[in-house]
Amino acid sequence: MTAARRTFLTGLVVFVIGLALWLFGLDIEIVVFTPSKVGVVMMVLGAIEAAYGLYRMARGERAERG
């Protein structure tokens, strides 16, 4: 598995975990943090990482062609 694909898949996993925290952690409150807010942050970071992985995959394909 290439590094770009691994970055993309890692971003998707982080996004899905963040989505689960956001959906199922709305009524839970822990002293230090709120799971729903942490879930939103994880979704944003996961989306950025997945987009970067897609960029690297597209960039790698263009480098191979030309």
Side-chain angles (χ1 to χ4, degrees):
M1 183 180 305
T2 64
R5 183 166 290 172
R6 193 174 318 124
T7 301
F8 174 70
L9 291 177
T10 303
L12 284 181
V13 168
V14 171
F15 182 83
V16 168
I17 292 171
L19 182 65
L21 280 173
W22 180 66
L23 288 174
F24 301 115
L26 289 173
D27 56 348
I28 301 171
E29 193 168 323
I30 299 174
V31 176
V32 180
F33 61 90
T34 307
S36 61
K37 291 180 183 177
V38 172
V40 171
V41 172
M42 287 180 70
M43 285 177 10
V44 169
L45 293 176
I48 290 170
E49 188 171 5
Y52 179 63
L54 282 175
Y55 169 76
R56 287 179 59 188
M57 284 192 288
R59 186 78 170 156
E61 289 177 6
R62 278 191 233 137
E64 290 174 2
R65 284 189 223 161

Short mmCIF file of all heavy atoms in Angstrom, two decimals:
data_model
loop_
_atom_site.label_atom_id
_atom_site.label_comp_id
_atom_site.label_asym_id
_atom_site.label_seq_id
_atom_site.Cartn_x
_atom_site.Cartn_y
_atom_site.Cartn_z
N MET A 1 0.85 -1.17 0.00
CA MET A 1 0.00 0.00 0.00
C MET A 1 0.90 1.24 0.00
O MET A 1 1.86 1.34 0.76
CB MET A 1 -0.88 -0.01 1.25
CG MET A 1 -1.84 1.13 1.29
SD MET A 1 -2.92 1.20 2.73
CE MET A 1 -3.69 -0.38 2.74
N THR A 2 0.57 2.17 -0.87
CA THR A 2 1.39 3.37 -0.97
C THR A 2 1.12 4.30 0.21
O THR A 2 0.09 4.21 0.89
CB THR A 2 1.09 4.11 -2.28
OG1 THR A 2 -0.27 4.56 -2.25
CG2 THR A 2 1.32 3.23 -3.48
N ALA A 3 2.03 5.22 0.43
CA ALA A 3 1.89 6.17 1.53
C ALA A 3 0.69 7.08 1.33
O ALA A 3 0.00 7.43 2.29
CB ALA A 3 3.17 6.99 1.66
N ALA A 4 0.41 7.45 0.10
CA ALA A 4 -0.73 8.33 -0.18
C ALA A 4 -2.04 7.62 0.13
O ALA A 4 -2.94 8.21 0.74
CB ALA A 4 -0.69 8.77 -1.64
N ARG A 5 -2.15 6.38 -0.25
CA ARG A 5 -3.38 5.63 0.03
C ARG A 5 -3.54 5.40 1.53
O ARG A 5 -4.64 5.46 2.07
CB ARG A 5 -3.34 4.30 -0.71
CG ARG A 5 -4.63 3.52 -0.51
CD ARG A 5 -4.74 2.41 -1.48
NE ARG A 5 -4.97 3.02 -2.79
CZ ARG A 5 -4.97 2.35 -3.93
NH1 ARG A 5 -4.75 1.08 -3.93
NH2 ARG A 5 -5.19 2.96 -5.07
N ARG A 6 -2.43 5.14 2.23
CA ARG A 6 -2.48 4.96 3.67
C ARG A 6 -2.93 6.26 4.36
O ARG A 6 -3.72 6.23 5.30
CB ARG A 6 -1.11 4.54 4.19
CG ARG A 6 -1.14 4.03 5.60
CD ARG A 6 0.21 3.46 6.06
NE ARG A 6 0.84 2.65 5.05
CZ ARG A 6 2.08 2.86 4.57
NH1 ARG A 6 2.80 3.86 5.02
NH2 ARG A 6 2.59 2.08 3.65
N THR A 7 -2.45 7.40 3.88
CA THR A 7 -2.87 8.68 4.43
C THR A 7 -4.36 8.90 4.21
O THR A 7 -5.07 9.36 5.10
CB THR A 7 -2.07 9.82 3.77
OG1 THR A 7 -0.68 9.61 3.99
CG2 THR A 7 -2.47 11.18 4.32
N PHE A 8 -4.85 8.56 3.03
CA PHE A 8 -6.27 8.70 2.72
C PHE A 8 -7.12 7.82 3.64
O PHE A 8 -8.11 8.28 4.22
CB PHE A 8 -6.51 8.35 1.25
CG PHE A 8 -7.96 8.33 0.88
CD1 PHE A 8 -8.69 9.51 0.81
CD2 PHE A 8 -8.60 7.14 0.59
CE1 PHE A 8 -10.03 9.50 0.46
CE2 PHE A 8 -9.93 7.11 0.24
CZ PHE A 8 -10.65 8.30 0.18
N LEU A 9 -6.74 6.57 3.79
CA LEU A 9 -7.51 5.64 4.63
C LEU A 9 -7.46 6.04 6.10
O LEU A 9 -8.46 5.94 6.81
CB LEU A 9 -7.00 4.21 4.44
CG LEU A 9 -7.29 3.60 3.07
CD1 LEU A 9 -6.68 2.21 2.97
CD2 LEU A 9 -8.78 3.55 2.81
N THR A 10 -6.32 6.52 6.56
CA THR A 10 -6.21 6.99 7.94
C THR A 10 -7.14 8.18 8.17
O THR A 10 -7.81 8.26 9.21
CB THR A 10 -4.76 7.38 8.27
OG1 THR A 10 -3.92 6.26 8.03
CG2 THR A 10 -4.63 7.82 9.71
N GLY A 11 -7.18 9.09 7.22
CA GLY A 11 -8.09 10.23 7.32
C GLY A 11 -9.54 9.80 7.37
O GLY A 11 -10.33 10.34 8.14
N LEU A 12 -9.91 8.80 6.57
CA LEU A 12 -11.28 8.30 6.61
C LEU A 12 -11.62 7.65 7.95
O LEU A 12 -12.72 7.85 8.47
CB LEU A 12 -11.50 7.29 5.48
CG LEU A 12 -11.67 7.87 4.08
CD1 LEU A 12 -11.90 6.75 3.08
CD2 LEU A 12 -12.80 8.87 4.03
N VAL A 13 -10.69 6.91 8.50
CA VAL A 13 -10.92 6.26 9.79
C VAL A 13 -11.10 7.31 10.89
O VAL A 13 -12.02 7.22 11.71
CB VAL A 13 -9.77 5.29 10.13
CG1 VAL A 13 -9.84 4.83 11.58
CG2 VAL A 13 -9.80 4.09 9.20
N VAL A 14 -10.25 8.33 10.89
CA VAL A 14 -10.37 9.40 11.89
C VAL A 14 -11.70 10.12 11.72
O VAL A 14 -12.38 10.46 12.69
CB VAL A 14 -9.18 10.38 11.78
CG1 VAL A 14 -9.40 11.61 12.65
CG2 VAL A 14 -7.90 9.68 12.18
N PHE A 15 -12.12 10.35 10.47
CA PHE A 15 -13.39 11.01 10.22
C PHE A 15 -14.56 10.18 10.75
O PHE A 15 -15.47 10.71 11.39
CB PHE A 15 -13.57 11.26 8.71
CG PHE A 15 -14.85 11.97 8.38
CD1 PHE A 15 -14.92 13.35 8.47
CD2 PHE A 15 -15.97 11.27 7.98
CE1 PHE A 15 -16.10 14.01 8.17
CE2 PHE A 15 -17.15 11.91 7.68
CZ PHE A 15 -17.22 13.30 7.77
N VAL A 16 -14.54 8.88 10.51
CA VAL A 16 -15.63 8.00 10.96
C VAL A 16 -15.68 7.93 12.48
O VAL A 16 -16.76 7.97 13.09
CB VAL A 16 -15.49 6.61 10.32
CG1 VAL A 16 -16.42 5.61 10.97
CG2 VAL A 16 -15.75 6.69 8.83
N ILE A 17 -14.53 7.85 13.14
CA ILE A 17 -14.51 7.84 14.60
C ILE A 17 -15.05 9.17 15.14
O ILE A 17 -15.82 9.19 16.10
CB ILE A 17 -13.08 7.56 15.12
CG1 ILE A 17 -12.69 6.13 14.79
CG2 ILE A 17 -12.99 7.81 16.62
CD1 ILE A 17 -11.23 5.81 15.05
N GLY A 18 -14.65 10.28 14.52
CA GLY A 18 -15.18 11.58 14.93
C GLY A 18 -16.68 11.67 14.72
O GLY A 18 -17.40 12.23 15.56
N LEU A 19 -17.17 11.12 13.63
CA LEU A 19 -18.60 11.12 13.36
C LEU A 19 -19.35 10.32 14.43
O LEU A 19 -20.41 10.75 14.91
CB LEU A 19 -18.88 10.55 11.97
CG LEU A 19 -20.33 10.51 11.51
CD1 LEU A 19 -20.87 11.92 11.37
CD2 LEU A 19 -20.43 9.76 10.20
N ALA A 20 -18.80 9.18 14.81
CA ALA A 20 -19.44 8.37 15.86
C ALA A 20 -19.46 9.11 17.19
O ALA A 20 -20.46 9.09 17.91
CB ALA A 20 -18.70 7.04 16.00
N LEU A 21 -18.35 9.78 17.53
CA LEU A 21 -18.33 10.56 18.77
C LEU A 21 -19.35 11.69 18.72
O LEU A 21 -20.02 11.98 19.72
CB LEU A 21 -16.93 11.14 19.01
CG LEU A 21 -15.90 10.20 19.59
CD1 LEU A 21 -14.53 10.88 19.59
CD2 LEU A 21 -16.27 9.80 20.99
N TRP A 22 -19.46 12.33 17.59
CA TRP A 22 -20.41 13.44 17.46
C TRP A 22 -21.85 12.96 17.55
O TRP A 22 -22.68 13.58 18.20
CB TRP A 22 -20.17 14.17 16.14
CG TRP A 22 -21.09 15.30 15.92
CD1 TRP A 22 -21.17 16.47 16.62
CD2 TRP A 22 -22.09 15.39 14.90
NE1 TRP A 22 -22.14 17.27 16.10
CE2 TRP A 22 -22.74 16.63 15.04
CE3 TRP A 22 -22.50 14.54 13.89
CZ2 TRP A 22 -23.75 17.04 14.20
CZ3 TRP A 22 -23.51 14.95 13.05
CH2 TRP A 22 -24.12 16.18 13.22
N LEU A 23 -22.15 11.84 16.91
CA LEU A 23 -23.52 11.34 16.91
C LEU A 23 -23.95 10.76 18.26
O LEU A 23 -25.06 11.00 18.72
CB LEU A 23 -23.69 10.26 15.83
CG LEU A 23 -23.71 10.75 14.39
CD1 LEU A 23 -23.75 9.56 13.44
CD2 LEU A 23 -24.89 11.67 14.15
N PHE A 24 -23.06 9.99 18.88
CA PHE A 24 -23.45 9.26 20.08
C PHE A 24 -22.96 9.91 21.37
O PHE A 24 -23.25 9.42 22.45
CB PHE A 24 -22.95 7.81 20.00
CG PHE A 24 -23.49 7.09 18.81
CD1 PHE A 24 -22.65 6.67 17.80
CD2 PHE A 24 -24.84 6.84 18.70
CE1 PHE A 24 -23.14 6.00 16.69
CE2 PHE A 24 -25.37 6.17 17.60
CZ PHE A 24 -24.51 5.75 16.60
N GLY A 25 -22.22 11.00 21.28
CA GLY A 25 -21.70 11.64 22.48
C GLY A 25 -22.37 12.95 22.81
O GLY A 25 -21.83 13.74 23.59
N LEU A 26 -23.53 13.21 22.24
CA LEU A 26 -24.20 14.50 22.48
C LEU A 26 -24.69 14.65 23.91
O LEU A 26 -24.65 15.74 24.47
CB LEU A 26 -25.37 14.67 21.51
CG LEU A 26 -24.97 14.93 20.06
CD1 LEU A 26 -26.20 14.91 19.17
CD2 LEU A 26 -24.26 16.25 19.94
N ASP A 27 -25.16 13.57 24.52
CA ASP A 27 -25.72 13.69 25.87
C ASP A 27 -24.74 13.28 26.96
O ASP A 27 -25.09 13.25 28.12
CB ASP A 27 -26.99 12.85 25.98
CG ASP A 27 -26.76 11.40 25.62
OD1 ASP A 27 -25.70 11.08 25.09
OD2 ASP A 27 -27.68 10.58 25.88
N ILE A 28 -23.51 12.98 26.59
CA ILE A 28 -22.48 12.59 27.56
C ILE A 28 -21.57 13.78 27.81
O ILE A 28 -21.16 14.48 26.89
CB ILE A 28 -21.65 11.40 27.03
CG1 ILE A 28 -22.55 10.21 26.76
CG2 ILE A 28 -20.55 11.04 28.01
CD1 ILE A 28 -21.87 9.07 26.05
N GLU A 29 -21.26 14.01 29.08
CA GLU A 29 -20.35 15.09 29.42
C GLU A 29 -19.30 14.57 30.39
O GLU A 29 -19.62 14.07 31.46
CB GLU A 29 -21.11 16.26 30.03
CG GLU A 29 -20.28 17.51 30.10
CD GLU A 29 -21.11 18.72 30.44
OE1 GLU A 29 -22.26 18.81 29.96
OE2 GLU A 29 -20.61 19.57 31.17
N ILE A 30 -18.05 14.67 29.99
CA ILE A 30 -16.93 14.27 30.84
C ILE A 30 -16.33 15.55 31.39
O ILE A 30 -16.41 16.62 30.77
CB ILE A 30 -15.91 13.45 30.01
CG1 ILE A 30 -16.61 12.19 29.48
CG2 ILE A 30 -14.71 13.06 30.85
CD1 ILE A 30 -15.78 11.37 28.54
N VAL A 31 -15.69 15.48 32.54
CA VAL A 31 -15.21 16.68 33.22
C VAL A 31 -14.30 17.52 32.34
O VAL A 31 -14.43 18.74 32.27
CB VAL A 31 -14.47 16.28 34.52
CG1 VAL A 31 -13.88 17.49 35.20
CG2 VAL A 31 -15.40 15.53 35.44
N VAL A 32 -13.40 16.90 31.62
CA VAL A 32 -12.39 17.64 30.86
C VAL A 32 -12.88 18.05 29.48
O VAL A 32 -12.56 19.13 29.00
CB VAL A 32 -11.10 16.79 30.74
CG1 VAL A 32 -10.03 17.53 29.98
CG2 VAL A 32 -10.60 16.40 32.12
N PHE A 33 -13.66 17.22 28.81
CA PHE A 33 -14.08 17.51 27.44
C PHE A 33 -15.47 16.95 27.17
O PHE A 33 -15.97 16.11 27.90
CB PHE A 33 -13.07 16.96 26.43
CG PHE A 33 -12.92 15.46 26.49
CD1 PHE A 33 -13.72 14.65 25.72
CD2 PHE A 33 -11.98 14.88 27.31
CE1 PHE A 33 -13.59 13.28 25.77
CE2 PHE A 33 -11.84 13.50 27.37
CZ PHE A 33 -12.65 12.71 26.60
N THR A 34 -16.04 17.40 26.07
CA THR A 34 -17.32 16.88 25.59
C THR A 34 -17.06 16.04 24.35
O THR A 34 -16.46 16.54 23.40
CB THR A 34 -18.28 18.05 25.25
OG1 THR A 34 -18.35 18.92 26.36
CG2 THR A 34 -19.65 17.55 24.89
N PRO A 35 -17.46 14.77 24.35
CA PRO A 35 -17.17 13.91 23.20
C PRO A 35 -17.70 14.45 21.87
O PRO A 35 -17.07 14.26 20.83
CB PRO A 35 -17.85 12.60 23.56
CG PRO A 35 -17.90 12.59 25.04
CD PRO A 35 -18.10 14.03 25.43
N SER A 36 -18.83 15.14 21.88
CA SER A 36 -19.37 15.65 20.62
C SER A 36 -18.46 16.73 20.03
O SER A 36 -18.26 16.78 18.82
CB SER A 36 -20.77 16.19 20.82
OG SER A 36 -20.77 17.26 21.75
N LYS A 37 -17.87 17.57 20.89
CA LYS A 37 -16.96 18.61 20.39
C LYS A 37 -15.65 18.00 19.89
O LYS A 37 -15.10 18.43 18.88
CB LYS A 37 -16.70 19.65 21.47
CG LYS A 37 -17.91 20.49 21.77
CD LYS A 37 -17.63 21.51 22.83
CE LYS A 37 -18.90 22.29 23.15
NZ LYS A 37 -18.71 23.24 24.23
N VAL A 38 -15.16 17.01 20.61
CA VAL A 38 -13.96 16.30 20.15
C VAL A 38 -14.25 15.60 18.83
O VAL A 38 -13.39 15.55 17.93
CB VAL A 38 -13.48 15.30 21.23
CG1 VAL A 38 -12.36 14.43 20.71
CG2 VAL A 38 -13.04 16.03 22.47
N GLY A 39 -15.46 15.07 18.67
CA GLY A 39 -15.84 14.42 17.42
C GLY A 39 -15.83 15.37 16.25
O GLY A 39 -15.38 15.02 15.15
N VAL A 40 -16.29 16.60 16.46
CA VAL A 40 -16.27 17.60 15.38
C VAL A 40 -14.83 17.91 14.98
O VAL A 40 -14.50 17.99 13.79
CB VAL A 40 -17.03 18.87 15.80
CG1 VAL A 40 -16.82 19.99 14.80
CG2 VAL A 40 -18.50 18.58 15.97
N VAL A 41 -13.96 18.08 15.96
CA VAL A 41 -12.55 18.35 15.67
C VAL A 41 -11.93 17.19 14.91
O VAL A 41 -11.19 17.38 13.93
CB VAL A 41 -11.78 18.65 16.97
CG1 VAL A 41 -10.29 18.73 16.71
CG2 VAL A 41 -12.28 19.94 17.60
N MET A 42 -12.23 15.96 15.33
CA MET A 42 -11.69 14.80 14.65
C MET A 42 -12.23 14.68 13.23
O MET A 42 -11.49 14.28 12.32
CB MET A 42 -12.00 13.52 15.44
CG MET A 42 -11.17 13.38 16.69
SD MET A 42 -11.55 11.87 17.60
CE MET A 42 -10.86 10.64 16.50
N MET A 43 -13.49 15.04 13.03
CA MET A 43 -14.05 15.00 11.67
C MET A 43 -13.33 15.99 10.77
O MET A 43 -13.02 15.67 9.62
CB MET A 43 -15.55 15.30 11.71
CG MET A 43 -16.36 14.16 12.23
SD MET A 43 -18.15 14.39 12.40
CE MET A 43 -18.56 15.88 11.64
N VAL A 44 -13.06 17.18 11.27
CA VAL A 44 -12.36 18.18 10.46
C VAL A 44 -10.95 17.71 10.14
O VAL A 44 -10.51 17.77 8.97
CB VAL A 44 -12.34 19.55 11.19
CG1 VAL A 44 -11.41 20.52 10.51
CG2 VAL A 44 -13.75 20.12 11.28
N LEU A 45 -10.24 17.23 11.15
CA LEU A 45 -8.87 16.76 10.91
C LEU A 45 -8.84 15.54 9.98
O LEU A 45 -7.96 15.43 9.11
CB LEU A 45 -8.19 16.43 12.24
CG LEU A 45 -7.91 17.61 13.15
CD1 LEU A 45 -7.33 17.14 14.47
CD2 LEU A 45 -6.99 18.61 12.48
N GLY A 46 -9.79 14.64 10.14
CA GLY A 46 -9.86 13.47 9.26
C GLY A 46 -10.15 13.85 7.82
O GLY A 46 -9.59 13.28 6.89
N ALA A 47 -11.05 14.83 7.64
CA ALA A 47 -11.36 15.28 6.28
C ALA A 47 -10.14 15.94 5.64
O ALA A 47 -9.87 15.73 4.45
CB ALA A 47 -12.54 16.25 6.32
N ILE A 48 -9.41 16.73 6.41
CA ILE A 48 -8.20 17.38 5.88
C ILE A 48 -7.17 16.32 5.50
O ILE A 48 -6.55 16.39 4.42
CB ILE A 48 -7.63 18.38 6.89
CG1 ILE A 48 -8.55 19.58 7.02
CG2 ILE A 48 -6.22 18.82 6.50
CD1 ILE A 48 -8.20 20.51 8.16
N GLU A 49 -6.98 15.33 6.36
CA GLU A 49 -6.01 14.27 6.07
C GLU A 49 -6.43 13.44 4.86
O GLU A 49 -5.60 13.08 4.02
CB GLU A 49 -5.83 13.38 7.29
CG GLU A 49 -4.71 12.39 7.14
CD GLU A 49 -4.40 11.66 8.42
OE1 GLU A 49 -5.10 11.86 9.42
OE2 GLU A 49 -3.44 10.88 8.42
N ALA A 50 -7.71 13.13 4.75
CA ALA A 50 -8.19 12.37 3.60
C ALA A 50 -8.02 13.17 2.31
O ALA A 50 -7.62 12.62 1.27
CB ALA A 50 -9.65 11.98 3.79
N ALA A 51 -8.30 14.46 2.36
CA ALA A 51 -8.11 15.31 1.19
C ALA A 51 -6.64 15.38 0.79
O ALA A 51 -6.30 15.34 -0.40
CB ALA A 51 -8.65 16.72 1.46
N TYR A 52 -5.76 15.43 1.78
CA TYR A 52 -4.33 15.44 1.49
C TYR A 52 -3.90 14.11 0.85
O TYR A 52 -3.08 14.09 -0.07
CB TYR A 52 -3.53 15.71 2.77
CG TYR A 52 -2.05 15.72 2.56
CD1 TYR A 52 -1.45 16.65 1.73
CD2 TYR A 52 -1.23 14.79 3.18
CE1 TYR A 52 -0.08 16.66 1.53
CE2 TYR A 52 0.14 14.78 3.00
CZ TYR A 52 0.71 15.72 2.17
OH TYR A 52 2.06 15.72 1.97
N GLY A 53 -4.46 13.01 1.34
CA GLY A 53 -4.16 11.71 0.73
C GLY A 53 -4.63 11.64 -0.70
O GLY A 53 -3.94 11.11 -1.57
N LEU A 54 -5.83 12.17 -0.98
CA LEU A 54 -6.32 12.22 -2.36
C LEU A 54 -5.41 13.08 -3.24
O LEU A 54 -5.11 12.73 -4.38
CB LEU A 54 -7.74 12.78 -2.40
CG LEU A 54 -8.85 11.83 -2.01
CD1 LEU A 54 -10.18 12.57 -1.98
CD2 LEU A 54 -8.92 10.66 -2.97
N TYR A 55 -4.98 14.21 -2.69
CA TYR A 55 -4.07 15.09 -3.43
C TYR A 55 -2.77 14.36 -3.76
O TYR A 55 -2.29 14.42 -4.89
CB TYR A 55 -3.78 16.34 -2.61
CG TYR A 55 -2.65 17.18 -3.16
CD1 TYR A 55 -2.84 17.97 -4.28
CD2 TYR A 55 -1.40 17.16 -2.55
CE1 TYR A 55 -1.81 18.72 -4.80
CE2 TYR A 55 -0.37 17.92 -3.06
CZ TYR A 55 -0.57 18.70 -4.19
OH TYR A 55 0.47 19.44 -4.69
N ARG A 56 -2.22 13.63 -2.77
CA ARG A 56 -0.98 12.91 -3.00
C ARG A 56 -1.16 11.79 -4.02
O ARG A 56 -0.27 11.54 -4.83
CB ARG A 56 -0.43 12.36 -1.69
CG ARG A 56 0.15 13.45 -0.82
CD ARG A 56 0.67 12.93 0.49
NE ARG A 56 1.72 11.93 0.26
CZ ARG A 56 2.26 11.19 1.23
NH1 ARG A 56 1.84 11.34 2.46
NH2 ARG A 56 3.19 10.33 0.97
N MET A 57 -2.32 11.12 -3.97
CA MET A 57 -2.57 10.06 -4.95
C MET A 57 -2.69 10.65 -6.35
O MET A 57 -2.13 10.11 -7.31
CB MET A 57 -3.84 9.28 -4.60
CG MET A 57 -3.66 8.31 -3.47
SD MET A 57 -5.03 7.17 -3.26
CE MET A 57 -6.29 8.23 -2.60
N ALA A 58 -3.39 11.76 -6.50
CA ALA A 58 -3.54 12.39 -7.82
C ALA A 58 -2.20 12.93 -8.30
O ALA A 58 -1.87 12.83 -9.48
CB ALA A 58 -4.57 13.52 -7.74
N ARG A 59 -1.44 13.50 -7.41
CA ARG A 59 -0.13 14.05 -7.76
C ARG A 59 0.82 12.94 -8.21
O ARG A 59 1.58 13.10 -9.14
CB ARG A 59 0.45 14.79 -6.56
CG ARG A 59 1.69 15.52 -6.80
CD ARG A 59 1.40 16.79 -7.50
NE ARG A 59 2.62 17.57 -7.51
CZ ARG A 59 2.88 18.50 -8.38
NH1 ARG A 59 1.99 18.80 -9.27
NH2 ARG A 59 4.01 19.15 -8.35
N GLY A 60 0.74 11.81 -7.53
CA GLY A 60 1.59 10.66 -7.89
C GLY A 60 1.25 10.11 -9.24
O GLY A 60 2.11 9.73 -10.02
N GLU A 61 -0.05 10.08 -9.60
CA GLU A 61 -0.45 9.59 -10.90
C GLU A 61 0.00 10.54 -12.01
O GLU A 61 0.45 10.11 -13.05
CB GLU A 61 -1.97 9.44 -10.95
CG GLU A 61 -2.49 8.28 -10.12
CD GLU A 61 -4.01 8.22 -10.15
OE1 GLU A 61 -4.63 9.00 -10.90
OE2 GLU A 61 -4.55 7.39 -9.42
N ARG A 62 -0.10 11.83 -11.74
CA ARG A 62 0.37 12.80 -12.74
C ARG A 62 1.87 12.71 -12.94
O ARG A 62 2.38 12.85 -14.04
CB ARG A 62 -0.01 14.21 -12.32
CG ARG A 62 -1.43 14.55 -12.67
CD ARG A 62 -1.68 16.02 -12.47
NE ARG A 62 -2.85 16.11 -11.61
CZ ARG A 62 -2.98 16.92 -10.59
NH1 ARG A 62 -2.01 17.72 -10.25
NH2 ARG A 62 -4.07 16.91 -9.87
N ALA A 63 2.62 12.48 -11.86
CA ALA A 63 4.08 12.38 -11.96
C ALA A 63 4.48 11.14 -12.76
O ALA A 63 5.47 11.16 -13.48
CB ALA A 63 4.69 12.35 -10.57
N GLU A 64 3.71 10.06 -12.63
CA GLU A 64 4.03 8.84 -13.37
C GLU A 64 3.75 9.00 -14.85
O GLU A 64 4.46 8.47 -15.70
CB GLU A 64 3.23 7.68 -12.81
CG GLU A 64 3.66 7.25 -11.44
CD GLU A 64 2.75 6.18 -10.84
OE1 GLU A 64 1.81 5.76 -11.55
OE2 GLU A 64 2.96 5.79 -9.70
N ARG A 65 2.68 9.73 -15.20
CA ARG A 65 2.29 9.90 -16.61
C ARG A 65 3.22 10.83 -17.37
O ARG A 65 3.53 10.61 -18.51
CB ARG A 65 0.88 10.45 -16.69
CG ARG A 65 -0.18 9.44 -16.40
CD ARG A 65 -1.51 10.04 -16.73
NE ARG A 65 -2.43 9.67 -15.67
CZ ARG A 65 -3.55 10.26 -15.43
NH1 ARG A 65 -3.91 11.30 -16.14
NH2 ARG A 65 -4.33 9.85 -14.47
N GLY A 66 3.58 11.92 -16.71
CA GLY A 66 4.28 12.96 -17.46
C GLY A 66 5.63 13.13 -17.03
O GLY A 66 6.58 13.55 -17.41
#
